[in-house]
Amino acid sequence: MKIKQFSAFLVTYVDFLEEMAKGEREKYSALISYEPKQVDRVVSRQQAMNMRLTQLEEQREKEQAAAGLEGLTFSEILARLEEKDQGELPELFRRFGKAVDEIKYFNEKSIAFVKEGMRLMGMPEEAAPVAPYSHNGRQRREGGIPLFETKI
């Protein structure tokens, strides 16, 4: 059944998101440590993880569509499936949401820390460089919905 295939893929994706959340915690710790080599190492690692995230999200969309669940949120998927067919999906969706929340939390803390450091150095926030391209080289669209802001 395609639901089992989708569920098996989600195990890999959720494991990756949990690893990414750990990486965001490490990035924040590196920033507040003021150790440039450590910061460079974790930022480089996070850039590689961001590229992998893009691939996994594209694959999730394909797997979800193949399972006949295209465009549905996780809660809509569970509402559509009978309880006996849900398998480990409820737990995977819970872990997915928790990992995304952790990623967002530590990323926001890192950004706030960097902005405060810039402010203390007398650099106005407007002077901060803006990345017009995403990590995979695509031009960012104004008003697009970031991955971690998508309703799950």
Side-chain angles (χ1 to χ4, degrees):
M1 176 178 238
K2 295 284 185 178
I3 297 294
K4 288 184 181 181
Q5 206 172 340
F6 174 59
S7 183
F9 167 76
L10 278 179
V11 170
T12 301
Y13 193 2
V14 168
D15 288 346
F16 171 81
L17 286 173
E18 290 170 338
E19 184 65 27
M20 193 169 186
K22 180 182 169 194
E24 284 293 330
R25 282 191 301 275
E26 291 171 0
K27 180 176 73 178
Y28 179 67
S29 294
L31 285 169
I32 63 175
S33 76
Y34 295 101
E35 291 290 331
K37 287 184 181 183
Q38 186 180 2
V39 172
D40 284 345
R41 181 182 55 79
V42 295
V43 168
S44 293
R45 182 173 178 250
Q46 285 303 106
Q47 288 172 338
M49 292 186 94
N50 287 343
M51 289 193 298
R52 178 74 177 130
L53 175 63
T54 299
Q55 294 169 345
L56 286 170
E57 181 57 18
E58 289 172 359
Q59 185 64 33
R60 182 201 57 81
E61 290 173 353
K62 289 177 187 173
E63 296 287 342
Q64 191 170 324
L69 305 168
E70 185 172 14
L72 299 178
T73 64
F74 290 165
S75 55
E76 290 171 336
I77 291 171
L78 292 177
R80 182 173 285 191
L81 296 175
E82 291 185 34
E83 194 170 330
K84 66 180 177 60
D85 295 327
Q86 291 178 2
E88 61 184 325
L89 287 176
E91 177 62 14
L92 288 170
F93 294 163
R94 185 197 65 74
R95 287 176 50 207
F96 187 104
K98 182 179 179 213
V100 167
D101 288 345
E102 284 183 35
I103 290 166
K104 288 170 59 175
Y105 173 77
F106 283 105
N107 191 46
E108 288 168 3
K109 286 184 70 101
S110 295
I111 290 169
F113 182 80
V114 168
K115 283 182 178 180
E116 179 62 14
M118 290 171 54
R119 187 189 67 74
L120 291 173
M121 292 181 353
M123 181 185 245
E125 193 174 318
E126 302 82 42
V130 177
Y133 293 92
S134 67
H135 59 274
N136 63 359
R138 294 184 188 152
Q139 190 166 11
R140 293 178 194 251
R141 292 177 294 161
E142 290 297 320
I145 300 172
L147 172 64
F148 292 128
E149 297 303 320
T150 304
K151 187 176 179 181
I152 55 174

